[in-house]
Amino acid sequence: MPQAIISVKNLVKNYGTFQAVKGISFDVFEGEIFGLLGPNGAGKSTTLEIIETLRTKTSGDVTVCGMNLDKEPDSIKRVIGVQLQTSGFYPGLTLLELIELFSGLYNEKVDAMELLKLVNLADKAKNKYKEMSGGQKQRFSIATTLINKPRIIFLDEPTTGLDPQARRNLWDLIRDIRRQGSTVIITTHYMDEAEQLCDRIAIMDEGKIISLDSPDKMIDDLVQSGFERPKQVKAASLEDVFIQLTGKDMREE
Ligand code: ADP
Ligand code: MG
């Protein structure tokens, strides 16, 4: 059996009389890329922010790296990396200055250049944050989640609004992070992304988990049930055409 690094049991979140999360239970295994999918309003961000200790729950039990959320929230904070909203960065500081600022806040010694290299931004080290493109800002915000060498990284829609090249580049980065031993939890509205990237996914709708499995198994189950695509599937997608024509190189500079 794989080891659960996050365990959620009967988690409920009420906002006033509205129940946003309706008693969900799931485990995230150590070393996996776990996807939380679902339409807007499903309760994904609420669930993540509760696990991240940033939002209070109404009831239920959450364990992160063996620590109980109610008893040791501060210890949990130390072992997780949470992607900040991009607006949280001082626009006039350089990438190097920002990393130094954050590592000071975390009380961590980091090699800022090494970190920027990992997210492919070493050549932008002396540029100001406000000069970055959308994809560069996303990669930079992921770099800042790595400062405290977290065991688990939370990414809430990290690729929304990125062009296909930047999106692929971010997939590679997320795979690198996992290869280095971290567990990754990600939300996305792109099903191709979830299929490519995630070992397992939970699909949420209206506050409940309606399916949890590997993407492969979910697709096989659907086919097994007699589902057929309305038209013949082509051997390539329009996105394949786009990448073939425009190449994989990043285009933000
Ligand atoms: P998702 O991330 O899946 O889009 P959210 O967790 O952001 O969903 O929101 C789930 C539901 O809870 C939505 O209906 C949303 O409007 C509601 N909600 C989220 N945050 C609050 C809040 N602070 N106060 C009241 N309702 C909220
Ligand atoms: Mg959300």
Side-chain angles (χ1 to χ4, degrees), residues 134-171:
Q136 289 168 337
K137 282 178 176 161
Q138 287 288 24
R139 292 210 302 284
F140 180 72
S141 80
I142 292 179
T144 63
T145 71
L146 300 172
I147 288 173
N148 62 335
K149 305 174 188 75
R151 290 182 62 194
I152 311 172
I153 286 158
F154 293 85
L155 305 171
D156 199 350
E157 295 190 34
T159 60
T160 296
L162 298 186
D163 69 26
Q165 281 88 358
R167 218 154 62 92
R168 277 170 169 65
N169 190 280
L170 212 70
W171 296 353

Side-chain angles (χ1 to χ4, degrees), residues 35-39 42 44 186-188 190-191 194 201-205:
L36 200 52
L37 310 184
K44 304 178 298 294
I186 182 172
T187 73
T188 178
Y190 301 108
M191 294 305 123
I201 56 181
I203 299 182
M204 274 189 92
D205 196 15

Side-chain angles (χ1 to χ4, degrees), residues 38-46 48-49 156-157 187 189:
N40 280 330
K44 304 178 298 294
S45 296
T46 298
L48 290 191
E49 286 170 17
D156 199 350
E157 295 190 34
T187 73
H189 287 304

Side-chain angles (χ1 to χ4, degrees), residues 12 20 39 55 59 63 67 91 102 117 136 142 155 173 180 199 203 206:
V12 172
R55 211 176 267 259
S59 62
T63 310
M67 297 177 278
F102 278 107
K117 245 184 243 163
Q136 289 168 337
I142 292 179
L155 305 171
L173 171 60
Q180 298 186 10
D199 300 299
I203 299 182
E206 297 181 345

